[in-house]
Amino acid sequence: MKGGKPLSFLACVDLSSLSKTLPQPWLPSSGRLLFFYDTEKQPWGFDPKDRGGWAVMPAGDEQLPASSPMGESLRRHDIDFRKIDTYPSLERPEVEALALTDAEAESLTDLEESSYGGSPRHQVGGFASPIQGDQMELECQLVSNGVYCGDSSGYDSPKARALQGGAKDWRLLLQIDSDDDLGVMWGDVGILYFWIKESDALAGHFENCWVVLQCH
């Protein structure tokens, strides 16, 4: 909760169902995770002051209430997990280093888009689907440690250089796309990304999640 306003309930991820479809070694194999976000202010996540604009809470198998005790909820929409292939984007440094031809780049983009079959890009784990640059792991590492990343100065600071090695520890916990069926749009047809360090996920410290919002 930030500024006294309740956060909106976004999603409940059943970890048992997820584990049966595609086990994530850094996530518990049972229980559930509840996701909340400030849908009114929609913090972008590049400012350390955005902390508190979201929450991820572990829960057991008890029946969820019809409405969120923290605030509003999105339209209820039951889903099933299915396994998809995810691919690194063209903006990812490792891919840029390959110096792909135009044809190769187009093939990679087609593969990435085909995974979703035209549906909203809701996803747990794997490579994210970035809109404004593929360095969210680094952004989470820096901002969660107090570095403002709303411009290039934060990335170029001595503190950032000391912290950047930890970027490799971050994992995509949940990606929620703008979705007409849910009645939600993030920014200008954007995507909301929940990230967590693998060590925090293994220890159950989901309060340490960080959120990034990107849009067109």
Side-chain angles (χ1 to χ4, degrees):
M1 182 180 298
K2 188 172 184 177
K5 183 185 181 298
L7 302 175
S8 297
F9 176 51
L10 299 188
C12 170
V13 172
D14 186 312
L15 296 170
S16 297
S17 297
L18 175 66
S19 182
K20 292 175 183 176
T21 304
L22 182 62
Q24 301 290 330
W26 47 274
L27 281 177
S29 59
S30 62
R32 294 184 287 186
L33 294 177
L34 310 182
F35 293 80
F36 301 85
Y37 183 65
D38 186 342
T39 55
E40 181 176 302
K41 294 184 178 179
Q42 295 198 12
W44 292 81
F46 58 69
D47 190 334
K49 296 178 181 177
D50 288 339
R51 188 185 297 275
W54 55 80
V56 178
M57 299 181 178
D61 296 324
E62 65 273 8
Q63 181 68 33
L64 287 178
S67 61
S68 165
M70 295 186 72
E72 299 177 353
S73 301
L74 303 187
R75 297 172 188 167
R76 185 179 179 92
H77 190 75
D78 294 331
I79 62 171
D80 293 319
F81 291 110
R82 68 179 179 89
K83 182 179 178 179
I84 64 170
D85 293 321
T86 65
Y87 302 89
S89 75
L90 295 173
E91 292 80 21
R92 202 163 188 85
E94 297 89 338
V95 176
E96 287 185 335
L98 297 175
L100 299 178
T101 65
D102 289 345
E104 290 169 336
E106 184 176 352
S107 295
L108 178 59
T109 299
D110 290 343
L111 279 173
E112 199 269 339
E113 292 178 351
S114 67
S115 295
Y116 302 93
S119 298
R121 300 183 178 206
H122 306 314
Q123 178 183 318
V124 175
F127 289 107
S129 299
I131 297 174
Q132 295 177 308
D134 197 354
Q135 57 177 359
M136 282 183 277
E137 294 97 327
L138 177 59
E139 182 178 353
C140 290
Q141 170 69 359
L142 299 183
V143 185
S144 65
N145 282 285
V147 178
Y148 177 80
C149 289
D151 55 44
S152 61
S153 62
Y155 292 97
D156 296 335
S157 67
K159 185 174 181 180
R161 290 192 289 273
L163 289 167
Q164 63 185 3
K168 66 182 183 300
D169 298 327
W170 288 84
R171 303 288 178 265
L172 179 64
L173 181 57
L174 179 65
Q175 174 178 291
I176 305 181
D177 202 349
S178 294
D179 190 332
D180 290 339
D181 288 341
L182 297 177
V184 67
M185 182 183 292
W186 312 120
D188 184 8
V189 196
I191 297 179
L192 198 62
Y193 312 85
F194 284 80
W195 294 87
I196 189 169
K197 293 180 70 172
E198 181 171 318
S199 58
D200 283 332
L202 289 169
H205 293 314
F206 291 97
E207 71 276 8
N208 293 333
C209 285
W210 201 262
V211 163
V212 174
L213 167 60
Q214 294 188 352
C215 70
H216 296 278

